[in-house]
Structures are given as structure tokens and as C-alpha cells.
Amino acid sequence: MTHRGRHRRRRRGRALRATLTGAALALTAAATMISASQAKVTDGPGGLKPLTAAADTARLDLTERQVPRRWLGRLTASMGAPVGVDTVLASADHALRPTDDCTDAERETLPKAPAAARAYCWDRADTGGWSPGAVTTSADADDDGRWGDDRVILSAWSREDPATGRLLARVSFVDAGAAGPRGSGHPAYTSALLVLPVDGGRDYRALASPVTGMVWYQDKLLVTAGPEDRNALYVYDLHRIQRATADGDAVGRVPGGWAAHGHPYVLPAVASYRASAAPGAARPEVLSVDRSTAPDSLVAGESVPAGTDRSARLWRYPFSTDPARAGLPATDAAGRTGVREAYATRARGIRGVLAHREPGTTRSQWYLGGTVGTDEGRGTLWRADTGGARASECGADRSRYCWSAGAGSLSYAPDTAEVWSQSDRALFAVPLASVRDALG
């Protein structure tokens, strides 16, 4: 091993650590930045400004690239037949703790207004060293709220591999059935490592990125990639969950089988989307599904920290209605995904976005979970449209810092009318009616 090799690895390690603490935690950095710009934001970001110029909307376009089917076929032939989500849930080996078993510090991260109706805390031993990311549910996948017979929550996590300094990303599959998984009484979960096929499908490598945005639509899981990745989004097929067959911290093909850094399953990507290379182009950092549009749409947004003198952008991509492209955004003949609508907002530190149109109305409401807050780390939940913005308030001083400390993505489950999110080691649901009431 040469000194040059060691120096290269050290530099890569430093770069990846910067990615984790920069890209993954950039969305929380605004919580500690006190500036004149922040003061303006806490007074209100104002209404959404429509972006209609072709030059503005073109900066939000994506270009699709499918992983060759022969690569996926070769990987499956070597690893064995994929397993279903039900099989993954049946093998759940970790349990979420009910609210009463959460620590005081964990409960303190829950929102004050609107308050959580349900909350659970993650297994500390299993999540130690991992940073929480985005959340989506089977209600995003199908409007009846179930995947087969199961209600499922998917939670993204990322960490730096202590051995290599490289980032890892995983998704935890939570059995969210009312009676608990398989009669256990508590929601249980297990995890799959997110990977990318390489070498023609003869191997795979870990997705080296935090996951700040994630949606499960039909049979596809769409996740964001950090700024160090040339792709902005990756797509995973929930019908292609593969078993890992070897223990240990390695990732990929190893003597005797396939390893996934100690995880029992891997999810290989089936497609990716590259952001525009135009100056001022945006990458999706937060995602959600909106089923109140026709066709359903993928809602996306970027996060701009306090102290930055520019607006953040929010936009939509239409999902394809072609049965051969189930779960994928619509594309043109060149593989380009264009936006349906786009807006600019002065909201800062956006960590979650949700767009929803009430039946009988003509205008969508945009809910923005942000992290620009107090020294205690609490953020603000905004509801915005083109007419203005309003925040929830709490306490005797009618503070707007009422949202969860460091809360991540927002995922609406229409079957239960709840909004799911997570903050640090807490996973929670807030009724949408409570959100509307809190926002007036």
C-alpha cells in the first residue's frame, strides 16, 4: 500500500464526511444561523410566486436513464429470485418503541402544534451512527393505503462506513398494521441497503448519498441523491428486493455470496434521473406524492439555507399513465421529464414538502416543514399558496417555532388522513385536520 493511496483514501474519506455532514445536514444548518435574512423569514415568506418562463422551468427538467434489463437479469440470476415486501416484513428483527417508552429527549423532538397523534421511537442499538432521512408509506404507493395486505412505512437512513469512509444509505421497512406485526403488539422493522448495479450487473455498490427525499409510488421507490452524485434521483423496484447471502461489513459480491453491510436485503436501482446542466438548475431535495392532481404528480422542492439571498423553488412532475412505465415520471421521446408547474418561495431550510388540494377547491395548498428556528432547534410549519403563507403558533408568546426539531419529509396517507414524518429517533403521524386547524 503506497502513501499516495493512503492520501487518496483520506481525501475521499474527508470528502464523504463533508457530504454527510454537509448534504445530509445542510437542511438543518439553517436552524443555527441567526441573520437578518432569517428575521425576515420568521415574519413570513409571503405567497408563492409562479414560475412560468421557459428558461425558469427548463432548469428543473430531468433526464431519465434506465438500468439495462440485461444487467438486472444477470444480477437476479446470480443472487436468486427476488422476495416481496411481505417476506421482508415477516423477517422484521427490530421493534419500534411506543411513545411511553421513548426518552424525554426523544419526546421533546415531537411537534408542539399541531401535536402528533401517534409516535414511536427507533431501536437505539440499530440506528446508532445512522442519520434519519425521508419517510414514505404504502399510502403513497396505492390510494387504499396498503401494499397487498400490509400497511407499510419506509424510513431512509444514512451513515459513513467506518471501515471505508464511504456513505451508505438504507431503507427500513416498518410493519404499520394496527395490531402490530405478526401479533407482536409493536411495529417491527428490518432494513435493506440501497445499491447501484455495476459491471454489467455482475456486482453492485452502495448508494453513497444521504436520502433527504423519498416517495413510494405504485411499485417504485424514488429517492433523492446528494450534490456529490451526478444523478439527482434514483428509482428502485419493490418487486426486485434481493436477499443478501453473506455476513460482514462489505458491500457487493464477496467470496461465498453477496454482502450488504450486515443487512439482510438489498435494493438495486433500476433507473436514474439527471438534473439539468444549465446555470441555476435545481436538484430535488424533498419529495412527496400528490394524488389530488390528474394525473398524480411527484412534488419536489429544494432547500435554501438562511443567509442565502435567493428564493427556493417548488415544482411538480407528472407521473406517467403508461402501464409499461408504472411508477415512473412521464417523459418525452428524448427521455426528458418536464415540470407541470413551479413556484418560488422565500421559505428557508425546507426539509419537507406536501401539496394537497381539498375536494371541491381549485387551488392546492403547499405545506412546508422548515428548520429555520430557535436555538432549541425547533422549526416552523408553513402553509402557502399564491395568496400568502401562514404558520402554526404555540405557547403564550404565540411562537411560530412549533414544528418538530429537525423534522424530515412530509408524507400524506389519505386512507387515514394523517401526515407522517420523523425527527431524530422519533417517527410520528399528525392528522391533516390538525394541521389545517393549527394553520388557521
Side-chain angles (χ1 to χ4, degrees):
M1 181 183 296
T2 66
H3 290 291
R4 182 178 297 175
R6 283 196 297 270
H7 291 325
R8 278 198 300 265
R9 279 186 287 276
R10 286 170 184 164
R11 285 195 298 271
R12 286 197 298 266
R14 286 194 294 269
L16 288 165
R17 282 190 289 276
T19 299
L20 181 60
T21 59
L25 302 180
L27 302 180
T28 63
T32 60
M33 299 177 64
I34 307 300
S35 66
S37 175
Q38 177 179 339
K40 291 180 181 178
V41 170
T42 57
D43 288 339
L48 303 181
K49 177 184 176 182
L51 299 177
T52 57
D56 291 331
T57 57
R59 294 188 180 102
L60 309 175
D61 290 351
L62 298 175
T63 301
E64 180 183 276
R65 178 180 178 272
Q66 297 269 349
V67 174
R69 294 185 65 85
R70 65 182 182 278
W71 288 30
L72 299 172
R74 186 175 290 136
L75 192 62
T76 297
S78 182
M79 296 189 71
V83 300
V85 172
D86 57 341
T87 298
V88 174
L89 295 177
S91 67
D93 52 357
H94 298 280
L96 291 169
R97 291 170 285 137
T99 310
D100 290 345
D101 291 342
C102 297
T103 66
D104 290 343
E106 288 167 336
R107 284 193 289 268
E108 182 60 27
T109 67
L110 295 173
K112 292 183 177 180
R118 289 192 281 166
Y120 307 94
C121 292
W122 293 94
D123 182 334
R124 289 190 292 269
D126 177 61
T127 57
W130 291 83
S131 298
V135 172
T136 185
T137 77
S138 51
D140 279 346
D142 195 293
D143 56 11
D144 73 354
R146 297 178 182 272
W147 182 256
D149 294 329
D150 298 303
R151 294 184 185 275
V152 192
I153 300 170
L154 301 184
S155 170
W157 298 79
S158 60
R159 71 169 298 174
E160 183 183 274
D161 184 344
T164 66
R166 296 177 179 176
L167 288 182
L168 302 169
R170 75 182 190 190
V171 171
S172 295
F173 289 69
V174 181
D175 189 329
R182 280 59 182 170
S184 70
H186 299 300
Y189 69 95
T190 193
S191 302
L193 194 70
L194 297 178
V195 300
L196 311 177
V198 295
D199 191 22
R202 297 175 181 86
D203 204 349
Y204 56 74
R205 67 172 177 85
L207 172 65
S209 176
V211 177
T212 57
M214 178 172 68
V215 298
W216 179 1
Y217 184 70
Q218 296 182 11
D219 61 352
K220 302 300 191 300
L221 184 67
L222 290 82
V223 307
T224 58
E228 298 300 319
D229 198 304
R230 61 181 182 176
N231 293 309
L233 290 177
Y234 285 96
V235 181
Y236 296 85
D237 188 334
L238 273 298
H239 291 305
R240 287 187 176 272
I241 304 170
Q242 301 281 169
R243 290 186 188 273
T245 57
D247 294 328
D249 291 336
V251 176
R253 192 161 200 161
V254 296
W258 297 85
H261 194 71
H263 295 85
Y265 303 100
V266 295
L267 259 174
V270 299
S272 61
Y273 291 82
R274 190 166 295 184
S276 169
R283 297 169 63 97
E285 294 178 84
V286 290
L287 300 174
S288 65
V289 172
D290 187 357
R291 291 183 171 276
S292 65
T293 60
D296 300 339
S297 54
L298 175 64
V299 176
E302 62 177 342
S303 182
V304 172
T308 301
D309 190 23
R310 73 172 180 86
S311 297
R313 285 163 288 185
L314 308 170
W315 64 97
R316 301 178 187 269
Y317 301 112
F319 278 111
S320 176
T321 57
D322 181 353
R325 292 181 49 80
L328 297 175
T331 57
D332 62 16
R336 184 186 63 90
T337 296
V339 300
R340 170 185 289 175
E341 61 178 332
Y343 301 93
T345 175
R346 297 299 295 177
R348 294 290 187 264
I350 299 171
R351 295 202 68 200
V353 62
L354 186 69
H356 180 70
R357 182 182 303 163
E358 293 293 332
T361 65
T362 59
R363 185 166 61 180
S364 294
Q365 299 293 315
W366 292 72
Y367 299 91
L368 311 175
T371 60
V372 175
T374 65
D375 291 338
E376 291 76 25
R378 289 198 171 274
T380 302
L381 179 65
W382 294 97
R383 182 180 64 194
D385 57 25
T386 54
R390 184 177 179 86
S392 56
E393 298 178 347
C394 58
D397 61 350
R398 300 182 67 82
S399 169
R400 290 176 175 174
Y401 305 127
C402 308
W403 191 235
S404 182
S409 60
L410 305 173
S411 179
Y412 177 56
D415 59 310
T416 60
E418 292 175 310
V419 177
W420 283 92
S421 186
Q422 68 178 353
S423 176
D424 193 29
R425 295 298 181 268
L427 175 70
F428 62 90
V430 179
L432 181 60
S434 298
V435 174
R436 288 196 298 263
D437 290 346
L439 293 169

mmCIF file of all heavy atoms in Angstrom, residues 27-68:
data_model
loop_
_atom_site.group_PDB
_atom_site.id
_atom_site.type_symbol
_atom_site.label_atom_id
_atom_site.label_comp_id
_atom_site.label_asym_id
_atom_site.label_seq_id
_atom_site.Cartn_x
_atom_site.Cartn_y
_atom_site.Cartn_z
ATOM 1 N N LEU A 27 -29.764 20.666 5.407
ATOM 2 C CA LEU A 27 -31.162 21.047 5.578
ATOM 3 C C LEU A 27 -31.466 21.444 7.016
ATOM 4 O O LEU A 27 -32.497 22.021 7.301
ATOM 5 C CB LEU A 27 -32.063 19.886 5.154
ATOM 6 C CG LEU A 27 -31.854 19.433 3.711
ATOM 7 C CD1 LEU A 27 -32.796 18.281 3.393
ATOM 8 C CD2 LEU A 27 -32.063 20.570 2.772
ATOM 9 N N THR A 28 -30.552 21.099 7.953
ATOM 10 C CA THR A 28 -30.761 21.502 9.347
ATOM 11 C C THR A 28 -29.875 22.674 9.741
ATOM 12 O O THR A 28 -30.024 23.236 10.818
ATOM 13 C CB THR A 28 -30.475 20.339 10.310
ATOM 14 O OG1 THR A 28 -29.091 19.982 10.198
ATOM 15 C CG2 THR A 28 -31.317 19.142 9.977
ATOM 16 N N ALA A 29 -28.916 23.043 8.879
ATOM 17 C CA ALA A 29 -27.975 24.094 9.230
ATOM 18 C C ALA A 29 -28.673 25.419 9.486
ATOM 19 O O ALA A 29 -28.219 26.223 10.296
ATOM 20 C CB ALA A 29 -26.943 24.264 8.124
ATOM 21 N N ALA A 30 -29.780 25.641 8.779
ATOM 22 C CA ALA A 30 -30.480 26.922 8.923
ATOM 23 C C ALA A 30 -30.969 27.143 10.332
ATOM 24 O O ALA A 30 -31.184 28.274 10.749
ATOM 25 C CB ALA A 30 -31.666 26.976 7.955
ATOM 26 N N ALA A 31 -31.168 26.073 11.101
ATOM 27 C CA ALA A 31 -31.689 26.203 12.462
ATOM 28 C C ALA A 31 -30.726 26.948 13.360
ATOM 29 O O ALA A 31 -31.129 27.497 14.384
ATOM 30 C CB ALA A 31 -31.980 24.825 13.044
ATOM 31 N N THR A 32 -29.429 26.975 13.026
ATOM 32 C CA THR A 32 -28.450 27.621 13.887
ATOM 33 C C THR A 32 -27.926 28.923 13.308
ATOM 34 O O THR A 32 -27.013 29.524 13.866
ATOM 35 C CB THR A 32 -27.270 26.679 14.136
ATOM 36 O OG1 THR A 32 -26.677 26.356 12.886
ATOM 37 C CG2 THR A 32 -27.731 25.412 14.831
ATOM 38 N N MET A 33 -28.446 29.352 12.199
ATOM 39 C CA MET A 33 -27.961 30.579 11.574
ATOM 40 C C MET A 33 -28.898 31.734 11.892
ATOM 41 O O MET A 33 -30.048 31.744 11.482
ATOM 42 C CB MET A 33 -27.839 30.397 10.060
ATOM 43 C CG MET A 33 -26.857 29.317 9.671
ATOM 44 S SD MET A 33 -26.790 29.058 7.881
ATOM 45 C CE MET A 33 -26.161 30.645 7.351
ATOM 46 N N ILE A 34 -28.436 32.684 12.686
ATOM 47 C CA ILE A 34 -29.246 33.840 13.068
ATOM 48 C C ILE A 34 -28.775 35.009 12.212
ATOM 49 O O ILE A 34 -27.622 35.429 12.287
ATOM 50 C CB ILE A 34 -29.058 34.171 14.559
ATOM 51 C CG1 ILE A 34 -29.326 32.922 15.403
ATOM 52 C CG2 ILE A 34 -29.941 35.320 14.976
ATOM 53 C CD1 ILE A 34 -30.712 32.371 15.256
ATOM 54 N N SER A 35 -29.665 35.512 11.397
ATOM 55 C CA SER A 35 -29.276 36.582 10.477
ATOM 56 C C SER A 35 -30.464 37.462 10.184
ATOM 57 O O SER A 35 -31.599 37.150 10.524
ATOM 58 C CB SER A 35 -28.755 35.983 9.169
ATOM 59 O OG SER A 35 -29.803 35.320 8.517
ATOM 60 N N ALA A 36 -30.179 38.582 9.513
ATOM 61 C CA ALA A 36 -31.277 39.466 9.114
ATOM 62 C C ALA A 36 -32.204 38.752 8.168
ATOM 63 O O ALA A 36 -33.416 38.944 8.195
ATOM 64 C CB ALA A 36 -30.707 40.717 8.456
ATOM 65 N N SER A 37 -31.639 37.921 7.307
ATOM 66 C CA SER A 37 -32.466 37.164 6.370
ATOM 67 C C SER A 37 -33.421 36.258 7.119
ATOM 68 O O SER A 37 -34.587 36.150 6.782
ATOM 69 C CB SER A 37 -31.580 36.334 5.433
ATOM 70 O OG SER A 37 -32.365 35.521 4.619
ATOM 71 N N GLN A 38 -32.919 35.611 8.202
ATOM 72 C CA GLN A 38 -33.793 34.731 8.987
ATOM 73 C C GLN A 38 -34.930 35.513 9.614
ATOM 74 O O GLN A 38 -36.068 35.049 9.677
ATOM 75 C CB GLN A 38 -32.965 34.036 10.070
ATOM 76 C CG GLN A 38 -33.818 33.161 10.984
ATOM 77 C CD GLN A 38 -32.965 32.468 12.033
ATOM 78 O OE1 GLN A 38 -31.766 32.316 11.883
ATOM 79 N NE2 GLN A 38 -33.594 32.059 13.097
ATOM 80 N N ALA A 39 -34.613 36.711 10.112
ATOM 81 C CA ALA A 39 -35.662 37.509 10.736
ATOM 82 C C ALA A 39 -36.787 37.777 9.767
ATOM 83 O O ALA A 39 -37.959 37.737 10.122
ATOM 84 C CB ALA A 39 -35.059 38.827 11.243
ATOM 85 N N LYS A 40 -36.442 38.041 8.504
ATOM 86 C CA LYS A 40 -37.480 38.274 7.508
ATOM 87 C C LYS A 40 -38.329 37.024 7.305
ATOM 88 O O LYS A 40 -39.540 37.096 7.183
ATOM 89 C CB LYS A 40 -36.833 38.676 6.180
ATOM 90 C CG LYS A 40 -36.165 40.041 6.194
ATOM 91 C CD LYS A 40 -35.564 40.335 4.829
ATOM 92 C CE LYS A 40 -34.858 41.675 4.814
ATOM 93 N NZ LYS A 40 -34.238 41.952 3.505
ATOM 94 N N VAL A 41 -37.669 35.855 7.276
ATOM 95 C CA VAL A 41 -38.406 34.629 7.020
ATOM 96 C C VAL A 41 -39.384 34.332 8.137
ATOM 97 O O VAL A 41 -40.506 33.907 7.917
ATOM 98 C CB VAL A 41 -37.418 33.460 6.809
ATOM 99 C CG1 VAL A 41 -38.156 32.133 6.778
ATOM 100 C CG2 VAL A 41 -36.658 33.647 5.511
ATOM 101 N N THR A 42 -38.949 34.541 9.406
ATOM 102 C CA THR A 42 -39.844 34.244 10.503
ATOM 103 C C THR A 42 -41.036 35.185 10.519
ATOM 104 O O THR A 42 -42.053 34.875 11.121
ATOM 105 C CB THR A 42 -39.097 34.311 11.847
ATOM 106 O OG1 THR A 42 -38.504 35.602 11.990
ATOM 107 C CG2 THR A 42 -38.012 33.246 11.909
ATOM 108 N N ASP A 43 -40.894 36.351 9.895
ATOM 109 C CA ASP A 43 -42.048 37.221 9.748
ATOM 110 C C ASP A 43 -43.006 36.686 8.692
ATOM 111 O O ASP A 43 -44.153 37.106 8.627
ATOM 112 C CB ASP A 43 -41.603 38.644 9.346
ATOM 113 C CG ASP A 43 -40.928 39.364 10.495
ATOM 114 O OD1 ASP A 43 -41.155 38.963 11.648
ATOM 115 O OD2 ASP A 43 -40.172 40.315 10.237
ATOM 116 N N GLY A 44 -42.542 35.790 7.862
ATOM 117 C CA GLY A 44 -43.377 35.176 6.841
ATOM 118 C C GLY A 44 -42.726 35.218 5.484
ATOM 119 O O GLY A 44 -42.207 36.263 5.081
ATOM 120 N N PRO A 45 -42.738 34.110 4.763
ATOM 121 C CA PRO A 45 -42.125 34.089 3.432
ATOM 122 C C PRO A 45 -42.996 34.684 2.340
ATOM 123 O O PRO A 45 -42.541 34.840 1.201
ATOM 124 C CB PRO A 45 -41.897 32.597 3.188
ATOM 125 C CG PRO A 45 -42.988 31.928 3.964
ATOM 126 C CD PRO A 45 -43.181 32.776 5.195
ATOM 127 N N GLY A 46 -44.245 35.006 2.668
ATOM 128 C CA GLY A 46 -45.137 35.531 1.659
ATOM 129 C C GLY A 46 -45.693 34.435 0.762
ATOM 130 O O GLY A 46 -45.448 33.243 0.969
ATOM 131 N N GLY A 47 -46.457 34.846 -0.233
ATOM 132 C CA GLY A 47 -47.092 33.878 -1.123
ATOM 133 C C GLY A 47 -46.121 33.268 -2.117
ATOM 134 O O GLY A 47 -45.013 33.767 -2.325
ATOM 135 N N LEU A 48 -46.554 32.170 -2.716
ATOM 136 C CA LEU A 48 -45.746 31.518 -3.744
ATOM 137 C C LEU A 48 -45.798 32.340 -5.027
ATOM 138 O O LEU A 48 -46.855 32.830 -5.428
ATOM 139 C CB LEU A 48 -46.273 30.115 -4.013
ATOM 140 C CG LEU A 48 -46.363 29.159 -2.819
ATOM 141 C CD1 LEU A 48 -46.892 27.807 -3.276
ATOM 142 C CD2 LEU A 48 -45.014 29.007 -2.134
ATOM 143 N N LYS A 49 -44.659 32.451 -5.677
ATOM 144 C CA LYS A 49 -44.593 33.184 -6.941
ATOM 145 C C LYS A 49 -44.496 32.182 -8.088
ATOM 146 O O LYS A 49 -43.536 31.418 -8.180
ATOM 147 C CB LYS A 49 -43.358 34.090 -6.956
ATOM 148 C CG LYS A 49 -43.170 34.836 -8.268
ATOM 149 C CD LYS A 49 -41.881 35.641 -8.267
ATOM 150 C CE LYS A 49 -41.653 36.309 -9.621
ATOM 151 N NZ LYS A 49 -40.376 37.070 -9.655
ATOM 152 N N PRO A 50 -45.495 32.133 -8.972
ATOM 153 C CA PRO A 50 -45.447 31.186 -10.090
ATOM 154 C C PRO A 50 -44.248 31.462 -10.990
ATOM 155 O O PRO A 50 -43.911 32.618 -11.278
ATOM 156 C CB PRO A 50 -46.773 31.431 -10.827
ATOM 157 C CG PRO A 50 -47.669 32.055 -9.813
ATOM 158 C CD PRO A 50 -46.781 32.883 -8.945
ATOM 159 N N LEU A 51 -43.609 30.378 -11.435
ATOM 160 C CA LEU A 51 -42.520 30.464 -12.409
ATOM 161 C C LEU A 51 -43.054 29.932 -13.731
ATOM 162 O O LEU A 51 -43.346 28.743 -13.848
ATOM 163 C CB LEU A 51 -41.314 29.642 -11.944
ATOM 164 C CG LEU A 51 -40.673 30.059 -10.617
ATOM 165 C CD1 LEU A 51 -39.546 29.103 -10.249
ATOM 166 C CD2 LEU A 51 -40.144 31.502 -10.694
ATOM 167 N N THR A 52 -43.193 30.787 -14.712
ATOM 168 C CA THR A 52 -43.812 30.391 -15.976
ATOM 169 C C THR A 52 -42.886 30.527 -17.171
ATOM 170 O O THR A 52 -43.158 29.949 -18.226
ATOM 171 C CB THR A 52 -45.072 31.229 -16.231
ATOM 172 O OG1 THR A 52 -44.728 32.622 -16.216
ATOM 173 C CG2 THR A 52 -46.123 30.971 -15.146
ATOM 174 N N ALA A 53 -41.791 31.270 -17.030
ATOM 175 C CA ALA A 53 -40.872 31.445 -18.153
ATOM 176 C C ALA A 53 -40.197 30.114 -18.484
ATOM 177 O O ALA A 53 -39.801 29.354 -17.591
ATOM 178 C CB ALA A 53 -39.817 32.495 -17.817
ATOM 179 N N ALA A 54 -40.067 29.836 -19.768
ATOM 180 C CA ALA A 54 -39.465 28.566 -20.198
ATOM 181 C C ALA A 54 -38.055 28.409 -19.650
ATOM 182 O O ALA A 54 -37.638 27.303 -19.290
ATOM 183 C CB ALA A 54 -39.459 28.499 -21.720
ATOM 184 N N ALA A 55 -37.321 29.503 -19.562
ATOM 185 C CA ALA A 55 -35.951 29.416 -19.042
ATOM 186 C C ALA A 55 -35.931 28.983 -17.586
ATOM 187 O O ALA A 55 -35.015 28.279 -17.149
ATOM 188 C CB ALA A 55 -35.254 30.762 -19.199
ATOM 189 N N ASP A 56 -36.943 29.395 -16.820
ATOM 190 C CA ASP A 56 -37.019 29.014 -15.404
ATOM 191 C C ASP A 56 -37.429 27.558 -15.244
ATOM 192 O O ASP A 56 -36.844 26.826 -14.434
ATOM 193 C CB ASP A 56 -38.015 29.911 -14.664
ATOM 194 C CG ASP A 56 -37.521 31.342 -14.537
ATOM 195 O OD1 ASP A 56 -36.289 31.540 -14.499
ATOM 196 O OD2 ASP A 56 -38.359 32.261 -14.472
ATOM 197 N N THR A 57 -38.436 27.126 -15.972
ATOM 198 C CA THR A 57 -38.919 25.751 -15.804
ATOM 199 C C THR A 57 -37.946 24.727 -16.395
ATOM 200 O O THR A 57 -37.832 23.611 -15.885
ATOM 201 C CB THR A 57 -40.309 25.587 -16.432
ATOM 202 O OG1 THR A 57 -40.256 25.954 -17.820
ATOM 203 C CG2 THR A 57 -41.333 26.466 -15.713
ATOM 204 N N ALA A 58 -37.207 25.115 -17.450
ATOM 205 C CA ALA A 58 -36.252 24.181 -18.050
ATOM 206 C C ALA A 58 -35.138 23.818 -17.081
ATOM 207 O O ALA A 58 -34.551 22.734 -17.183
ATOM 208 C CB ALA A 58 -35.664 24.772 -19.321
ATOM 209 N N ARG A 59 -34.852 24.690 -16.134
ATOM 210 C CA ARG A 59 -33.809 24.413 -15.144
ATOM 211 C C ARG A 59 -34.214 23.310 -14.166
ATOM 212 O O ARG A 59 -33.391 22.846 -13.381
ATOM 213 C CB ARG A 59 -33.477 25.691 -14.365
ATOM 214 C CG ARG A 59 -32.840 26.793 -15.198
ATOM 215 C CD ARG A 59 -32.365 27.940 -14.315
ATOM 216 N NE ARG A 59 -31.759 29.003 -15.102
ATOM 217 C CZ ARG A 59 -32.365 30.143 -15.406
ATOM 218 N NH1 ARG A 59 -33.602 30.367 -14.989
ATOM 219 N NH2 ARG A 59 -31.734 31.065 -16.129
ATOM 220 N N LEU A 60 -35.466 22.926 -14.210
ATOM 221 C CA LEU A 60 -35.972 21.898 -13.301
ATOM 222 C C LEU A 60 -36.163 20.552 -13.990
ATOM 223 O O LEU A 60 -36.573 19.578 -13.363
ATOM 224 C CB LEU A 60 -37.311 22.354 -12.698
ATOM 225 C CG LEU A 60 -37.316 23.760 -12.070
ATOM 226 C CD1 LEU A 60 -38.720 24.126 -11.632
ATOM 227 C CD2 LEU A 60 -36.347 23.828 -10.905
ATOM 228 N N ASP A 61 -35.881 20.488 -15.283
ATOM 229 C CA ASP A 61 -36.075 19.254 -16.034
ATOM 230 C C ASP A 61 -35.119 18.154 -15.574
ATOM 231 O O ASP A 61 -34.017 18.423 -15.076
ATOM 232 C CB ASP A 61 -35.849 19.492 -17.533
ATOM 233 C CG ASP A 61 -36.955 20.327 -18.161
ATOM 234 O OD1 ASP A 61 -37.970 20.570 -17.488
ATOM 235 O OD2 ASP A 61 -36.782 20.741 -19.330
ATOM 236 N N LEU A 62 -35.545 16.911 -15.773
ATOM 237 C CA LEU A 62 -34.718 15.736 -15.502
ATOM 238 C C LEU A 62 -34.601 14.910 -16.774
ATOM 239 O O LEU A 62 -35.494 14.935 -17.623
ATOM 240 C CB LEU A 62 -35.342 14.872 -14.405
ATOM 241 C CG LEU A 62 -35.514 15.501 -13.020
ATOM 242 C CD1 LEU A 62 -36.269 14.541 -12.108
ATOM 243 C CD2 LEU A 62 -34.168 15.881 -12.419
ATOM 244 N N THR A 63 -33.517 14.147 -16.883
ATOM 245 C CA THR A 63 -33.340 13.231 -17.998
ATOM 246 C C THR A 63 -33.191 11.815 -17.464
ATOM 247 O O THR A 63 -32.333 11.558 -16.611
ATOM 248 C CB THR A 63 -32.104 13.605 -18.839
ATOM 249 O OG1 THR A 63 -32.271 14.946 -19.327
ATOM 250 C CG2 THR A 63 -31.954 12.654 -20.022
ATOM 251 N N GLU A 64 -34.020 10.924 -17.975
ATOM 252 C CA GLU A 64 -34.087 9.555 -17.455
ATOM 253 C C GLU A 64 -33.041 8.649 -18.097
ATOM 254 O O GLU A 64 -32.746 8.766 -19.294
ATOM 255 C CB GLU A 64 -35.482 8.988 -17.717
ATOM 256 C CG GLU A 64 -35.694 7.568 -17.220
ATOM 257 C CD GLU A 64 -37.077 7.061 -17.575
ATOM 258 O OE1 GLU A 64 -38.012 7.350 -16.815
ATOM 259 O OE2 GLU A 64 -37.225 6.395 -18.627
ATOM 260 N N ARG A 65 -32.508 7.744 -17.299
ATOM 261 C CA ARG A 65 -31.623 6.688 -17.800
ATOM 262 C C ARG A 65 -32.010 5.388 -17.106
ATOM 263 O O ARG A 65 -31.937 5.279 -15.888
ATOM 264 C CB ARG A 65 -30.158 7.003 -17.511
ATOM 265 C CG ARG A 65 -29.193 5.899 -17.967
ATOM 266 C CD ARG A 65 -27.758 6.266 -17.657
ATOM 267 N NE ARG A 65 -26.841 5.211 -18.049
ATOM 268 C CZ ARG A 65 -26.499 4.187 -17.265
ATOM 269 N NH1 ARG A 65 -27.036 4.063 -16.056
ATOM 270 N NH2 ARG A 65 -25.634 3.282 -17.688
ATOM 271 N N GLN A 66 -32.440 4.418 -17.890
ATOM 272 C CA GLN A 66 -32.819 3.115 -17.357
ATOM 273 C C GLN A 66 -31.584 2.232 -17.194
ATOM 274 O O GLN A 66 -30.690 2.229 -18.048
ATOM 275 C CB GLN A 66 -33.807 2.429 -18.315
ATOM 276 C CG GLN A 66 -35.120 3.149 -18.501
ATOM 277 C CD GLN A 66 -36.173 2.675 -17.514
ATOM 278 O OE1 GLN A 66 -35.999 1.689 -16.821
ATOM 279 N NE2 GLN A 66 -37.280 3.397 -17.481
ATOM 280 N N VAL A 67 -31.527 1.478 -16.093
ATOM 281 C CA VAL A 67 -30.506 0.451 -15.965
ATOM 282 C C VAL A 67 -30.844 -0.653 -16.965
ATOM 283 O O VAL A 67 -31.995 -1.097 -17.032
ATOM 284 C CB VAL A 67 -30.473 -0.121 -14.531
ATOM 285 C CG1 VAL A 67 -29.508 -1.310 -14.443
ATOM 286 C CG2 VAL A 67 -30.085 0.969 -13.535
ATOM 287 N N PRO A 68 -29.896 -1.082 -17.801
ATOM 288 C CA PRO A 68 -30.208 -2.102 -18.808
ATOM 289 C C PRO A 68 -30.833 -3.349 -18.185
ATOM 290 O O PRO A 68 -30.381 -3.828 -17.145
ATOM 291 C CB PRO A 68 -28.839 -2.415 -19.419
ATOM 292 C CG PRO A 68 -28.036 -1.165 -19.218
ATOM 293 C CD PRO A 68 -28.493 -0.610 -17.900
#
